[in-house]
Amino acid sequence: MARRQIVLDTETTGIDPKQGHRIIEIGCVELMNRRLTGNNFHVYINPQRSIEEEAIDVHGITNEFLRDKPLFRDIAQEFFDYIKGAELVIHNAPFDIGHMDNEFALLNQGYQNTHSFCGVLDTLKMARDLHPGQKNNLDALCRRYDVDNTKRTLHGALLDSEILADVYLAMTGGQVKLNLNQNKDDSSEDQKGGIRRLNSDRAPLVVIAASEAEQSAHQSRLDIVQKEGGHCLWRAE
């Protein structure tokens, strides 16, 4: 069965939903079997309240910008249908899940808590387990896993989800991109696509030949293989 994951981020009017703070942006990126599908979800939301100045300094979203945006109730069912049954991948999941549960609860339409219809994977907890005692915010992880975040001058839900998707894939699957031309500037043509070539003036590879003793030991092992199986692939003509 295909594994569907939604990398999710939100921006809000402030920190604590218990103090009346609301979601103002949702950004989601879909992964199917660890591959980006392009089936993303992104919406700005009118929170029907003012945004704290400290929050505006973080994400740059203003009250004026949100005045003509839909209310959460207008997008709730579409959002629910999009994430239902998926595993949500979130950095500092309790924050976003807390706000999502609050928004659904305010509708008073019978929506359950997010954990009841989605799995949740917290990449902040994962990063702390992998790198204890180190900085594990998204910017720090981008540096650690060589993920480009140069466009991230302000927080934004969709951009942060796209960046987190790259970080998550790197954290859980090792290298996700092959760059054999790291000595060149990122703005060069080779970095923009096509074949990446190794520098012609690079140092030659060192070839270490097996010693006579090692060759003899190898032949002795092949004798055993040939004796037991009657055929030795490594000695085939």
Side-chain angles (χ1 to χ4, degrees):
M1 180 180 295
R3 184 185 184 190
R4 183 171 183 259
Q5 295 174 294
I6 302 296
V7 186
L8 180 150
D9 186 54
T10 65
E11 301 297 341
T12 64
T13 62
I15 297 296
D16 191 352
K18 294 180 180 178
Q19 296 180 0
H21 287 294
R22 306 288 300 275
I23 291 177
I24 58 175
E25 184 187 8
I26 301 172
C28 301
V29 175
E30 183 184 61
L31 295 173
M32 191 70 73
N33 291 334
R34 295 179 57 81
R35 293 181 180 274
L36 294 166
T37 68
N39 178 28
N40 301 337
F41 180 93
H42 181 227
V43 64
Y44 291 102
I45 299 167
N46 183 341
Q48 297 182 288
R49 59 151 293 159
S50 61
I51 307 170
E52 288 188 344
E53 288 298 324
E54 293 84 353
I56 295 176
D57 291 340
V58 171
H59 50 59
I61 302 173
T62 64
N63 296 294
E64 292 75 17
F65 175 76
L66 296 175
R67 281 176 182 166
D68 63 345
K69 300 302 183 286
L71 306 182
F72 185 83
R73 67 168 176 259
D74 299 325
I75 60 92
Q77 188 61 47
E78 181 184 5
F79 178 49
F80 174 83
D81 292 340
Y82 177 79
I83 64 174
K84 183 180 179 181
E87 179 182 50
L88 305 182
V89 179
I90 307 174
H91 203 65
N92 191 19
F95 175 84
D96 299 89
I97 296 299
H99 276 280
M100 290 165 55
D101 287 346
N102 178 65
E103 292 289 351
F104 281 120
L106 289 173
L107 297 176
N108 197 26
Q109 293 180 5
Y111 288 104
Q112 302 297 313
N113 287 340
T114 306
H115 281 280
S116 68
F117 57 88
C118 287
V120 178
L121 188 155
D122 188 350
T123 53
L124 178 57
K125 182 181 183 302
M126 178 185 296
R128 285 171 173 169
D129 291 340
L130 291 171
H131 312 288
Q134 300 182 48
K135 288 185 177 180
N136 288 300
N137 58 41
L138 192 54
D139 287 333
L141 291 175
C142 286
R143 291 190 294 271
R144 187 171 300 142
Y145 289 99
D146 191 27
V147 172
D148 182 12
N149 68 339
T150 54
K151 296 180 181 179
R152 192 180 188 244
T153 55
L154 290 172
H155 287 234
L158 184 59
L159 176 60
D160 283 0
S161 292
E162 292 171 341
I163 292 173
L164 180 58
D166 287 342
V167 168
Y168 167 71
L169 291 173
M171 287 173 62
T172 57
Q175 189 175 19
V176 294
K177 62 180 180 179
L178 183 61
N179 183 357
L180 299 177
N181 201 16
Q182 294 182 356
N183 291 329
K184 288 197 173 185
D185 183 80
D186 287 343
S187 61
S188 68
E189 288 299 319
D190 283 348
Q191 291 292 335
K192 295 178 182 178
I195 299 173
R196 293 186 171 96
R197 297 177 173 84
L198 292 170
N199 292 337
S200 60
D201 60 349
R202 68 189 184 277
L205 295 175
V206 177
V207 178
I208 302 176
S211 67
E212 291 186 6
E214 289 171 332
Q215 292 185 44
S216 177
H218 177 64
Q219 292 301 323
S220 296
R221 176 57 60 181
L222 296 184
D223 288 339
I224 296 174
V225 172
Q226 190 165 352
K227 181 178 179 180
E228 292 180 350
H231 177 74
C232 180
L233 177 63
W234 290 275
R235 286 178 172 170
E237 291 293 336

